[in-house]
Amino acid sequence: PHSRDIFDHFDDSDLARALVFKPFTLIDLTILPESTISQHGTAALMELLFKQYATKDFLNAVKQAAENGVWRLTVSHTTEPYLWTVLEYIRHAGDD
């Protein structure tokens, strides 16, 4: 009795058709310089943190974000849940 078309199971099937299963670009943050990452707008803060995952040097990443304006941009252009997600990531990633 149900559709076998996976896109029929999305609230907006046209949007799903436009976005799902399309090729995407994978960025290796470990080889990008912080100066390049800092140009990625509001995604830059999380990218800087992701880059530091192996070393767990999250304090340094937040410090860099504050020094180069990424923190200010993130606070002024995102939502409170995004900032809570940043803090949760630091807490959980640091527990490894």
Side-chain angles (χ1 to χ4, degrees):
H2 302 286
S3 173
R4 290 179 288 150
D5 183 347
I6 192 169
F7 297 109
D8 288 341
H9 298 278
F10 287 85
D11 290 336
D12 186 339
S13 60
D14 291 333
L15 180 62
R17 277 187 175 79
L19 300 176
V20 176
F21 305 121
K22 301 292 182 187
F24 59 91
T25 303
L26 184 62
I27 301 170
D28 185 353
L29 297 171
T30 63
I31 62 170
L32 284 181
E34 285 81 4
S35 59
T36 301
I37 293 173
S38 295
Q39 297 172 6
H40 292 174
T42 56
L45 178 59
M46 283 302 291
E47 290 177 2
L48 288 168
L49 293 170
F50 291 158
K51 181 177 174 114
Q52 297 299 328
Y53 181 81
T55 63
K56 307 289 191 226
D57 193 3
F58 300 120
L59 183 58
N60 186 47
V62 171
K63 208 166 147 183
Q64 282 180 326
E67 290 170 357
N68 61 22
V70 168
W71 186 261
R72 179 175 290 132
L73 176 72
T74 303
V75 168
S76 65
H77 287 84
T78 61
T79 61
E80 185 178 323
Y82 180 87
L83 296 172
W84 279 111
T85 301
V86 167
L87 295 174
E88 282 293 314
Y89 174 77
I90 292 170
R91 186 172 75 85
H92 287 291
D95 285 345
D96 290 348

